[in-house]
Amino acid sequence: MRERYFIVTYGCQMNVHESEKIAGLLRAAGYESADSQENADLIVFNTCCVRENAENHAFGNIGALKKLKKQKKNLIIAVGGCMTQEKGKAETLKEKFPFIDVIFGTLNLEELPALIQKKREEKKRVIKICEKEGEIVEDVKPFRTSFPNAWVNIAYGCNNFCSYCIVPYVRGRERSRKEENILAEIRLLVEQGYKEITLLGQNVNSYGNDLKDGSSFARLLDKAASIEGKFRLRFMTSHPKDFNADVVEVMKKHPKICRLVHLPVQSGSNEILRRMNRRYTAEEYLNKIQMLKSAIPQAEVTTDIIVGFPGETEEDYLQTEELVKKADFASAFTFVYSKRSGTKAAEMPDQVPEDVSKNRIMRLVELVNTLTRKKSETYVGKTVEILCEDYDEKKKAYLGRDEFGRMAYFPYPKNVVGRFVRVNVLTANGISLFGEVAEVED
């Protein structure tokens, strides 16, 4: 029987897709997936360090494996991802958890099978963290687990150095994949029946800046949307300073491109945006939304918002509330500022007290939820196209999202996962819609 792996993933969609790549590498090396940690011969932690909670969660779960490691002497435990790439964290892991067998970084993920083999042969712990980004490895075939959705990296790393963000330090500088490789991957996914493809990058709008061959995100998006077949095309994340009219024109041209843009604003205060090193103002941000909706009236925007950033006053916070109301977001992901060692913001003297941050996040969540519920209520009585993604056993209903990311549940007697379904929306509850099937695409 082949040895089995189990992957534990933390963090963003980028990490989820990287776990698919890890799975692909392991399967190519002869492993098969396990249904639990207890039944695995290899456990891989793909960590995140963007927020402290994710890091603490990972430490807790790694520590919990000490007992299992004692029971299974041949069990291999490998830890990789952003946390291991952070300065000093590999050494911390080494000292705190002597039972970890392999530690690897984000910049040498593709070496994992070889590092595991080295551990088995030499019977010693293996640690390899690359300090400098190398060439993009194109022959890693991910084992995709999210049908009918698929994620495609178009670039790695980040050049922006927002003062609160650890990403440039753990993922390196921006590196763009070649256009032809991205398009070939998308064509293959369409041939394989994937119905929603999301282009991924820390800042998709700066795609191609490092290639010096005329590549741009607008051109890539245009070519991707020109590929034949019925599928949706999404992209994330867009930095507001780089989101431009060229991209909007391509969105307007192609019905395949979802009319939803994730555009993280982070704050509505110009002073806080300056301290964050975001390089735009609240007014410029709102102008970008106006540019989008003037060209595509149906377009929607989602966002990320941080409260409690160092130096944030009550007036700064209220400016964020005001921007949320003006922007009319489809939804917003809200966070309390998380101090990350090594970033400029961590050194700022005027850290906001925890109780103040908690009060502000509660108020902001209430505002966002109220506005999101109102958006959901506008769906009632309408018929929307839903890409069916899964079946919910508890609700006894299929589920999927429309192009604006709104989740809908609907009963149906046949399996329609992976198919486009037109749903009559009967009720709305918070961010979710409930309805009945009007038509199923052949």
Side-chain angles (χ1 to χ4, degrees):
M1 188 174 72
R2 294 197 296 172
E3 291 195 318
R4 293 167 293 181
Y5 68 86
F6 189 89
I7 302 174
V8 184
T9 306
Y10 303 88
C12 63
Q13 199 56 64
M14 191 81 74
N15 268 29
V16 172
H17 183 43
E18 287 190 349
S19 287
E20 292 183 333
K21 292 181 181 179
I22 291 171
L25 288 164
L26 295 175
R27 295 175 81 86
Y31 289 84
E32 61 184 26
S33 60
D35 58 3
S36 68
Q37 294 183 8
E38 290 72 21
N39 292 328
D41 303 291
L42 165 67
I43 300 174
V44 181
F45 286 86
N46 186 14
T47 64
C48 175
C49 67
V50 173
R51 292 183 179 84
E52 188 177 20
N53 284 347
E55 192 170 290
N56 291 340
H57 196 194
F59 273 121
N61 287 344
I62 293 169
L65 286 182
K66 184 176 181 180
K67 183 178 179 181
L68 182 62
K69 180 74 171 178
K70 284 184 177 180
Q71 294 170 351
K72 299 179 69 171
K73 298 296 184 183
N74 292 326
L75 173 67
I76 298 289
I77 298 175
V79 181
C82 293
M83 190 171 74
T84 61
Q85 199 74 43
E86 190 179 355
K87 187 176 181 180
K89 282 296 165 61
E91 193 64 30
T92 299
L93 286 165
K94 176 183 174 182
E95 294 175 2
K96 191 176 180 69
F97 306 109
F99 53 87
I100 293 176
D101 300 288
V102 177
I103 299 175
F104 63 103
T106 60
L107 302 180
N108 63 317
L109 175 150
E110 70 280 353
E111 295 184 67
L112 178 59
L115 299 178
I116 294 169
Q117 185 61 29
K118 184 177 181 181
K119 158 64 186 175
R120 292 190 187 283
E121 292 174 355
E122 299 181 2
K123 310 297 182 185
K124 295 188 300 184
R125 171 186 279 172
V126 177
I127 301 175
K128 187 170 182 183
I129 308 291
C130 291
E131 297 296 330
K132 185 173 176 57
E133 59 273 8
E135 294 294 319
I136 293 174
V137 179
E138 285 289 355
D139 60 354
V140 176
K141 293 180 174 57
F143 177 64
R144 300 184 186 273
T145 56
S146 301
F147 180 86
N149 302 308
W151 292 273
V152 175
N153 281 111
I154 68 170
Y156 300 89
C158 185
N159 290 348
N160 285 309
F161 290 92
C162 299
S163 63
Y164 55 84
C165 187
I166 197 74
V167 168
Y169 304 98
V170 297
R171 289 192 174 273
R173 304 296 82 77
E174 256 177 32
R175 288 107 60 213
S176 301
R177 293 178 65 195
K178 291 182 179 179
E179 193 177 78
E180 60 265 30
N181 293 330
I182 297 168
L183 296 174
E185 185 174 350
I186 295 171
R187 289 190 191 97
L188 179 60
L189 289 168
V190 174
E191 290 172 7
Q192 292 173 339
Y194 286 87
K195 300 297 185 182
E196 183 169 299
I197 297 167
T198 303
L199 307 181
L200 291 177
Q202 299 297 336
N203 178 15
V204 292
N205 293 101
S206 60
Y207 167 81
N209 288 352
D210 58 316
L211 295 179
K212 312 301 182 186
D213 63 357
S215 296
S216 71
F217 181 58
R219 189 177 84 175
L220 173 66
L221 193 61
D222 187 26
K223 291 184 178 182
S226 299
I227 293 172
E228 292 187 7
K230 173 69 183 288
F231 65 96
R232 287 178 183 164
L233 193 60
R234 298 187 189 273
F235 55 88
M236 66 183 302
T237 295
S238 292
H239 195 297
K241 72 177 176 60
D242 297 315
F243 184 66
N244 59 42
D246 291 345
V247 172
V248 172
E249 284 304 309
V250 174
M251 292 178 65
K252 185 177 179 180
K253 174 182 175 183
H254 293 284
K256 285 177 184 171
I257 303 173
C258 295
R259 295 167 293 179
L260 177 72
V261 177
H262 187 63
L263 202 63
V265 66
Q266 306 301 6
S267 176
S269 161
N270 287 338
E271 173 58 20
I272 296 302
L273 290 171
R274 184 190 67 78
R275 292 166 68 93
M276 287 178 167
N277 193 35
R278 293 293 285 174
R279 288 177 278 176
Y280 56 82
T281 65
E283 292 76 18
E284 288 168 343
Y285 179 89
L286 291 170
N287 286 340
K288 296 284 177 116
I289 294 181
Q290 182 60 37
M291 173 187 69
L292 171 66
K293 294 191 175 183
S294 293
I296 311 171
Q298 305 92 338
E300 296 279 6
V301 175
T302 57
T303 198
D304 295 339
I305 302 171
I306 296 171
V307 301
F309 187 80
E312 183 187 65
T313 65
E314 179 66 10
E315 178 58 30
D316 292 322
Y317 167 74
L318 291 175
Q319 288 172 10
T320 295
E321 281 198 359
E322 196 60 32
L323 184 140
V324 169
K325 295 171 186 176
K326 289 178 180 177
D328 191 30
F329 294 118
S331 63
F333 301 93
T334 57
F335 308 93
V336 172
Y337 165 71
S338 182
K339 186 177 181 179
R340 309 313 292 139
S341 178
T343 63
K344 295 289 186 183
E347 301 169 4
M348 294 179 181
D350 42 359
Q351 302 288 319
V352 176
E354 184 178 348
D355 60 332
V356 174
S357 293
K358 284 185 177 180
N359 174 267
R360 288 174 185 166
I361 195 68
M362 290 173 63
R363 290 153 62 193
L364 183 61
V365 167
E366 184 178 357
L367 172 62
V368 167
N369 287 347
T370 297
L371 297 176
T372 301
R373 281 193 295 270
K374 289 181 179 178
K375 285 275 187 182
S376 294
E377 288 165 3
T378 65
Y379 278 83
V380 176
K382 296 179 180 178
T383 300
V384 295
E385 184 181 74
I386 302 295
L387 174 59
C388 183
E389 299 176 359
D390 206 348
Y391 183 78
D392 189 311
E393 288 288 350
K394 290 183 179 180
K395 290 184 172 66
K396 302 299 179 185
Y398 287 95
L399 60 111
R401 294 171 297 148
D402 74 343
E403 68 171 304
F404 303 108
R406 196 69 74 197
M407 187 69 73
Y409 295 84
F410 53 91
Y412 200 69
K414 298 179 181 178
N415 186 346
V416 286
V417 172
R419 299 173 70 179
F420 288 101
V421 179
R422 292 187 62 78
V423 173
N424 294 328
V425 180
L426 303 178
T427 61
N429 180 16
I431 61 173
S432 300
L433 312 175
F434 300 85
E436 59 185 15
V437 173
E439 180 184 0
V440 178
E441 184 184 75
D442 293 335

